Amino acid sequence: MNQPPASLPQAAHATESVNMALAAGAIVGTWFWDVPRDQLTVDEALARAFGLDPALAQRKLQLHDVLGTVHPDDLPGLVAAIEHAVRHGGRFAHQYRTQGPDGRYHWLESIGRVDLDEHGRAKSFPGVLIDIDERLRVQAERDQAQALLRSFVEAAPGVMYAKDRQGRLLIGNSGTTELIGRTPAEYVGRTDAELLADPAQAAAVMATDERIMASGQGEQLEEEINFSDGRRAWWLSTKAPLRNGNGEVIGLVGTSLDITDRKSAEADRLDLEERYRLAAQATNDAVWDWRMVDGHVVWNEALSSLFGHPMMETSAQWWLDHIHPEDRDRIDRNIHAVIDGDGTTWNGEYRFRRADGSYAAVLDRGAVLRDADGRPLRMIGAMLDLSGRKAAEAALAEGEERLRLATEAGELGLWDLDLVQNILLWPARTKAMFGISSDAEVTFDDFRTGLHPDDRAATLAALEASADPQRRASYDVEYRTVGKEDGIVRWVAAKGRGIFEAGRCVRMLGVAIDITARKAADARLRELNEQLEARVRAEVAERMRVEDALRQSRKMEAVGQLSGGIAHDFNNMLATVIGPLDLLALRIGDSDARAVRYIEMALDGAQRAAQLTQRLLAFSRQQPLQPVALDVNHLVAGMTDLLVHSLGSSVILETVLGGGQWWTHADANQLENVILNLAVNARDAMPGGGRLQLQTSNCQIDLADVAEHGGIPTGDYVRIAVTDTGSGMPADVMARAFDPFFTTKPVGQGTGLGLSQVYGFVQQSNGHVRLQSTPGAGTTVVIYLPRLLAEVDALPAAATVAAPLSGGGAEQILVVDDDAAVRAFSVDALSELGYQVLSADGAASALHLLQAHPNIALLFTDVVMPGVNGRQLADQALARHPHLKVLFATGNSRNALVDDGVLDANVQLIGKPFTIGELATRVRAVLSSSGHPPSQQAS
């Protein structure tokens, strides 16, 4: 394509021209006309389109150079259009014919744009040329086809129409207008529901149309129609899907014939049968007329519309050749048997090949016309396309099979009640729901009498409402049946609907399912829900109990911490009382009886105070324990004499020792104190005498036994039960029985620490204690101590080592205590015993003394001290003097000497307060021991 001179405006015009050409499509050529200069530039394609020499594309032309090939009839209009565009500017488009190199005229369309300058004069006129010859030809053919279609529709006999997917009429011929009784303006765009008076009939017609569109298969059927003006009509309709170019169903086409008169004349069918026999046969789709003399066959247009064959005339052999090879010989024999014999009618079913190669199932019927001598002259017949019906029958059979399988899989029972003839149909599954054998005959009375008396009235009322033409209620009920033959009560859920004709219910269909198991499950579920609610309430109560127990535990822990601190301070104070009194007694001897008596009184009070602090420590679980492998039977047997003396003559002691008793791991002395405390409490609860039973046994608790044992965790336990026949305790007293300082005894007769000491010891020993009591029926305290799983031998009784109160030895001892009074007593006591004693008030001075006196044999140190405590001091001292012996003194065990309340291995300890005799015994035992002192790692 030639371009105008290379300048920016011209380049822009060229680009614009190309863009316009690309947008238009079907481009023949392009031009650029410099209007003021009258210089026209064209490309070679445009020159060829105008029948010009392509070489002209290299030159500057004038407009008249290219207009010479324009058709004379089109030239004036083209010139006028160009002049108008040049005067007014803007878009230009015009259609005309030009003579091409082949001498033929072609339709072209010029599309361009005239640009005006600032004075309104045309300055440039670019454009493209498009070949529209094919498009106009197609438009002409389309207009011709549409006109032909309109003529065909109007000329077609009967009713011809088309509908969209929603059932709205799109088009109808004059027969449609006459049949409906309304003008096209009144029925186009409306559905059968809007045109027909009977809603049920309208719904049936529209349902048929929807079925055909959904299946994609044509059908022929008769439809009864009631019009709004009171007329009733019968239509014989042939309907098929309407498809677009892609084969998609977009609506429905159909033809209908008003056969009302034929229907009304069916009463005279016998008289008119011969007259209308051929006519009735000829009303089928593909009508044919076979001339016997030459085998010439004439067809109606249905041969093309149904089977796709465009011809209207064929030979008989052509027809025979299009029959399926498997059917051909059979049909040939049968039809010639009629023709060659004396028969007058013939019919047969076979497969007929369509133009596309597929086969249609057809029913062909014909009648032979003979001359007076009986020779066959013609045979007239009609070929009915059964493809739609066959497909429908196959679909129906498949649907029935699916329905049968679905009902069997869903355990559904069908029921069919004919209200006109009063016939009830039940399959075997439905009969079973009423306790009736599968081969037994049933009537509606079997249904009525088989209903449970309590459900009969409501079920029959629901059935009546569903069959009422006015209400047409949904039949959806659940009822019980009483088996006719077995008497079993079953639950049944049934659903159904009525079928109405001419304003009355003629039939009811539905399904039923046995829901007996579901009803039982529902009842069980309700029961479980009720049980669940009860369990939830119980769980809530248990949770509240546990929360109360947790609060009680926290309270006891807080009181224990307080009690332990108080006990520690008391022990330190009592150490400065008991020890000096003991030394004073040694100094006075028997020289002053009154002074001795006073000292004994003071010692007795101090000892009782010390016992009180021990109970506080036991409760707070801060007393140091020295557990050993323990045989509780042996321990209890050894306590018998002590318990008898403690209980007095009014209380009978009964011990029941379990056989094969397991061993436990506990502090024997503390366990003796616990049992003694429980015995004394039991004695106090039986002021008039009674019976005390002390029982030991093995106890294995699994998950099923946890609740029985008050929530104690699963495991193996050694069980010790102390039971009395005393006054018992009410619930509020039991709830506080283990609280420290709580007692029901009169003022001055109890400290309230007995049971709290028991509680503290058992907890510290990883055990459990439970209390059972009923007012007036006695009390039982049960202790559960963990079983010792390791195998042990019976331990020999520990020998008591008596230490002299003087002349203990010449060893050198270092006393370390931050309390000056306690330190002074310890120094005096050890000096009185004959030892060489040094003292220090803390770790720093103690380490200095140890360095200065390497002969120190024993470090006697308090545990709880500010800064470096006794254990840390011992570690540092042992690091420098590995053979140094260490004896600790403490008022409680809240220190590094214990692990979960149990003394570390090889730790030697004396508790505050102590007497000089206890001190002498303990010191001598430590100095005489051959065991290794505690290591640094033990701290």
Side-chain angles (χ1 to χ4, degrees), residues 210-223:
E210 179 59 32
R211 183 182 70 250
I212 293 172
M213 289 186 286
S215 67
Q217 300 292 331
E219 295 184 24
Q220 187 176 65
L221 65 159
E222 293 182 358
E223 297 174 304

Side-chain angles (χ1 to χ4, degrees), residues 147-160 172-175 301:
L148 180 61
L149 177 62
R150 284 193 295 271
S151 299
F152 172 76
V153 170
E154 288 299 324
V159 175
M160 182 175 291
N173 65 351
S174 58
E301 65 276 7

Side-chain angles (χ1 to χ4, degrees), residues 63-313:
L63 182 62
H64 63 81
D65 294 333
V66 298
L67 297 183
T69 61
V70 176
H71 195 285
D73 295 342
D74 302 336
L75 183 60
L78 175 61
V79 172
I82 293 173
E83 292 176 350
H84 180 272
V86 170
R87 285 196 304 270
H88 297 90
R91 185 178 184 278
F92 171 81
H94 193 75
Q95 298 178 358
Y96 53 90
R97 289 166 289 178
T98 63
Q99 190 174 28
D102 57 357
R104 294 175 56 248
Y105 281 98
H106 300 271
W107 278 98
L108 302 175
E109 182 175 17
S110 294
I111 299 176
R113 187 183 70 249
V114 177
D115 296 327
L116 304 179
D117 60 16
E118 63 274 11
H119 302 295
R121 294 189 295 271
K123 61 178 182 177
S124 63
F125 191 174
V128 298
L129 196 66
I130 300 174
D131 186 348
I132 62 171
D133 196 62
E134 179 65 18
R135 187 177 74 191
L136 292 180
R137 185 186 64 78
V138 171
Q139 288 177 350
E141 291 178 355
R142 183 192 63 196
D143 294 341
Q144 182 181 5
Q146 288 178 344
L148 180 61
L149 177 62
R150 284 193 295 271
S151 299
F152 172 76
V153 170
E154 288 299 324
V159 175
M160 182 175 291
Y161 55 86
K163 299 178 182 179
D164 62 14
R165 281 306 298 256
Q166 286 70 44
R168 295 185 291 260
L169 280 165
L170 300 175
I171 189 173
N173 65 351
S174 58
T176 305
T177 303
E178 294 175 3
L179 187 59
I180 295 179
R182 301 189 187 187
T183 65
E186 293 176 304
Y187 64 73
V188 169
R190 302 179 71 181
T191 66
D192 292 290
E194 299 171 292
L195 297 173
L196 301 180
D198 190 335
Q201 292 179 345
V205 171
M206 295 184 72
T208 300
D209 294 347
E210 179 59 32
R211 183 182 70 250
I212 293 172
M213 289 186 286
S215 67
Q217 300 292 331
E219 295 184 24
Q220 187 176 65
L221 65 159
E222 293 182 358
E223 297 174 304
E224 183 181 11
I225 305 300
N226 295 334
F227 293 95
S228 57
D229 59 1
R231 292 184 298 118
R232 297 184 61 187
W234 279 91
W235 288 359
L236 176 63
S237 299
T238 301
K239 300 182 179 183
L242 176 64
R243 303 178 184 272
N244 60 14
N246 297 325
E248 299 171 342
V249 176
I250 61 173
L252 178 112
V253 294
T255 61
S256 298
L257 294 177
D258 188 345
I259 59 172
T260 306
D261 294 340
R262 192 192 73 185
K263 283 288 186 180
S264 63
E266 283 183 352
D268 302 327
R269 179 178 56 83
L270 295 177
D271 296 335
L272 302 175
E273 181 177 4
E274 185 62 23
R275 183 186 303 174
Y276 291 106
R277 183 168 55 86
L278 292 178
Q281 293 174 344
T283 58
N284 294 307
D285 291 341
V287 179
W288 48 269
D289 187 349
W290 180 10
R291 193 166 56 200
M292 298 293 179
V293 64
D294 55 6
H296 186 74
V297 180
V298 178
W299 300 83
N300 69 349
E301 65 276 7
L303 183 66
S304 175
S305 61
L306 291 179
F307 307 110
H309 298 294
M311 65 281 293
M312 299 294 293
E313 297 182 7

Side-chain angles (χ1 to χ4, degrees), residues 556-557 560 614-623 625 670 674 738 753-767 769 900-901:
M556 297 285 281
E557 185 68 26
Q614 282 300 109
R615 290 185 176 183
L616 286 173
L617 288 173
F619 162 72
S620 62
R621 289 177 286 169
Q622 294 180 14
Q623 62 177 344
L625 299 181
Q670 294 297 335
V674 165
F738 293 118
L753 289 174
L755 287 180
S756 63
Q757 178 189 6
V758 173
Y759 176 84
F761 164 74
V762 174
Q763 289 289 311
Q764 196 172 358
S765 300
N766 295 321
V769 60
D900 290 334

